[in-house]
């Protein structure tokens, strides 16, 4: 799970169209009516022929840190416009640009309406997703208990274990609320450490070897006098790979002085090419 760019904005025309769609929902009287309208209306608007969502998909593709990969698992091709706040539960965010990311079916499907908040009245953790087969009910006011990659950096909540497991480990210096938020996001909703999603963990491990090989290629090519275009292409390849969290964590481990104990050769590569810490 990776923090997305926040400097990508659709055209004024598209933002206006989204507002018009949203106004149609907001004009309804009850939550039940709004929820039903959002559920029915979104798939009718989110089509290949709709110019608004054609641009939406272009912009959320641009937000991706590498290729068009799922914001959650960073492994699969992203092919579904995902609502961070589920549209059935938060119909007021159905056609809100800031609520969109690109996700894959294996992440988006199980996530579905799973969502929780910390209630405003007492601060308690509250799961708002309805039981299967029942209608959604209006969630209580509260702060999201699911990490929002449009606004937050997931790596502020966890560290990826590069020493062997390649699983996300929740940081031990978090407040109880943030620790619960991390547990809910990584292990309950997205199941990024789940044994059933072992291929994704394996892909993170494979990505580590790939990034290291690319960095070695860059350092070696530069020493051998490669031209600027060749070096730029290697950087582009690094920046275009999936599982960019692995690359970010390699940088963080080096900056924290703990990479050397894990992989001395990789640490030396960053020492040889410190500009790689900004790629």
């Amino acid at each position: 799970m990776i923090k997305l760019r926040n400097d990508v904005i659709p055209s004024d025309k598209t933002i206006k169209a989204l507002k018009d769609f949203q106004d149609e929902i907001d004009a309804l009287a009850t939550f039940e009516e709004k929820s039903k309208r959002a559920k029915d209306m979104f798939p009718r608007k989110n089509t290949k022929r709709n110019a608004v969502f054609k641009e939406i998909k272009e912009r959320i593709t641009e937000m991706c840190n590498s290729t068009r990969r799922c914001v959650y698992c960073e492994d699969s091709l992203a092919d579904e416009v995902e609502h961070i706040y589920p549209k059935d539960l938060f119909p007021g965010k159905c056609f809100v640009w800031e609520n969109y990311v690109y996700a894959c079916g294996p992440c988006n499907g199980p996530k579905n309406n799973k969502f929780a908040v910390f209630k405003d009245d007492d601060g308690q953790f509250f799961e708002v997703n309805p039981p299967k087969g029942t209608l959604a009910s209006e969630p209580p006011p509260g702060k999201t208990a699911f990490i929002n990659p449009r606004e937050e950096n997931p790596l502020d909540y966890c560290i990826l274990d590069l020493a062997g497991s390649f699983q996300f480990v929740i940081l031990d210096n978090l407040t109880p609320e943030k620790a619960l938020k991390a547990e809910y996001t990584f292990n309950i909703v997205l199941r990024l450490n789940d044994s059933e999603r072992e291929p994704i963990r394996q892909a993170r491990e494979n990505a580590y070897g790939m990034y290291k090989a690319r960095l070695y290629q860059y350092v070696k090519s530069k020493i051998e006098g490669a031209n600027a275009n060749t070096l730029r292409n290697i950087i582009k390849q690094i920046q275009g790979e999936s599982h960019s969290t692995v690359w970010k964590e390699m940088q963080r481990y080096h900056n924290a002085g703990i990479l050397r104990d894990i992989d001395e050769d990789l640490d030396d590569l960053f020492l040889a090419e410190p500009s790689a810490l900004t790629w």
Side-chain angles (χ1 to χ4, degrees):
M1 188 177 184
I2 195 71
K3 172 75 166 66
L4 296 176
R5 293 173 53 185
N6 60 7
D7 60 344
V8 180
I9 302 174
S11 66
D12 291 344
K13 182 178 180 181
T14 290
I15 292 295
K16 172 63 166 58
L18 287 177
K19 184 179 184 304
D20 290 342
F21 298 158
Q22 188 62 52
D23 285 347
E24 184 176 332
I25 295 173
D26 293 345
L28 298 173
T30 68
F31 173 82
E32 289 73 17
E33 290 175 311
K34 294 176 182 179
S35 178
K36 184 178 186 304
R37 181 65 60 85
K39 187 174 183 178
D40 293 343
M41 189 175 173
F42 185 77
R44 289 191 285 105
K45 299 298 183 182
N46 179 26
T47 66
K48 293 180 179 179
R49 295 183 179 181
N50 189 309
V52 173
F53 275 87
K54 181 180 179 181
E55 185 185 353
I56 290 296
K57 292 171 183 176
E58 290 173 351
R59 298 289 80 78
I60 56 178
T61 295
E62 189 179 343
M63 282 197 309
C64 295
N65 286 8
S66 54
T67 51
R68 201 183 82 194
R69 296 290 174 179
C70 174
V71 66
Y72 298 136
C73 71
E74 302 178 63
D75 187 69
S76 302
L77 175 69
D79 58 359
E80 298 183 10
V81 179
E82 145 78 347
H83 293 81
I84 301 168
Y85 289 78
K87 62 183 181 297
D88 295 14
L89 297 169
F90 298 88
K93 295 180 180 291
C94 181
F95 291 103
V96 174
W97 159 246
E98 291 79 8
N99 196 33
Y100 295 152
V101 294
Y102 243 147
C104 68
C107 282
N108 195 18
K111 176 179 177 287
N112 195 15
N113 279 345
K114 288 189 176 72
F115 207 79
V117 298
F118 295 105
K119 295 192 297 179
D120 283 345
D121 57 0
D122 59 11
Q124 293 300 303
F125 176 84
F126 183 84
E127 292 190 87
V128 298
N129 46 298
K132 188 175 182 179
T134 64
L135 295 176
S137 57
E138 188 168 10
K143 299 182 297 182
T144 173
F146 180 81
I147 297 170
N148 184 342
R150 290 285 302 257
E151 299 176 353
E152 303 174 277
N153 186 351
L155 296 183
D156 289 340
Y157 291 84
C158 71
I159 189 166
L160 182 62
D161 175 25
L162 300 183
S165 75
F166 287 88
Q167 292 189 337
F168 290 99
V169 178
I170 296 171
L171 297 174
D172 58 12
N173 61 347
L174 299 178
T175 65
E177 180 178 292
K178 287 187 175 182
L180 180 53
K181 186 174 183 177
E183 173 68 19
Y184 182 70
T185 301
F186 286 101
N187 295 327
I188 297 177
V189 177
L190 300 179
R191 300 181 298 111
L192 293 177
N193 291 326
D194 199 296
S195 59
E196 292 182 2
R197 308 198 79 184
E198 167 62 16
I200 296 175
R201 188 213 63 80
Q202 183 64 57
R204 292 193 288 261
E205 186 172 356
N206 293 342
Y208 182 91
M210 180 281 303
Y211 281 122
K212 181 178 177 180
R214 294 284 194 203
L215 183 55
Y216 173 80
Q217 180 188 13
Y218 182 94
V219 172
K220 185 173 183 292
S221 297
K222 187 174 181 180
I223 291 173
E224 293 176 351
N227 60 49
N229 187 55
T230 296
L231 297 177
R232 279 196 299 269
N233 283 338
I234 297 173
I235 295 174
K236 186 176 180 180
Q237 289 167 357
I238 289 174
Q239 293 174 332
E241 289 290 346
S242 59
H243 293 285
S244 55
T245 287
V246 174
W247 177 249
K248 295 297 182 184
E249 288 293 62
M250 290 163 75
Q251 295 171 325
R252 178 158 73 163
Y253 272 59
H254 173 81
N255 287 331
I258 57 177
L259 181 58
R260 198 156 198 83
D261 292 334
I262 297 171
D263 191 330
E264 185 175 343
D265 291 338
L266 177 58
D267 199 51
D268 284 339
L269 289 173
F270 280 118
L271 290 173
E273 188 53 53
S275 69
L277 295 167
T278 65
W279 299 347

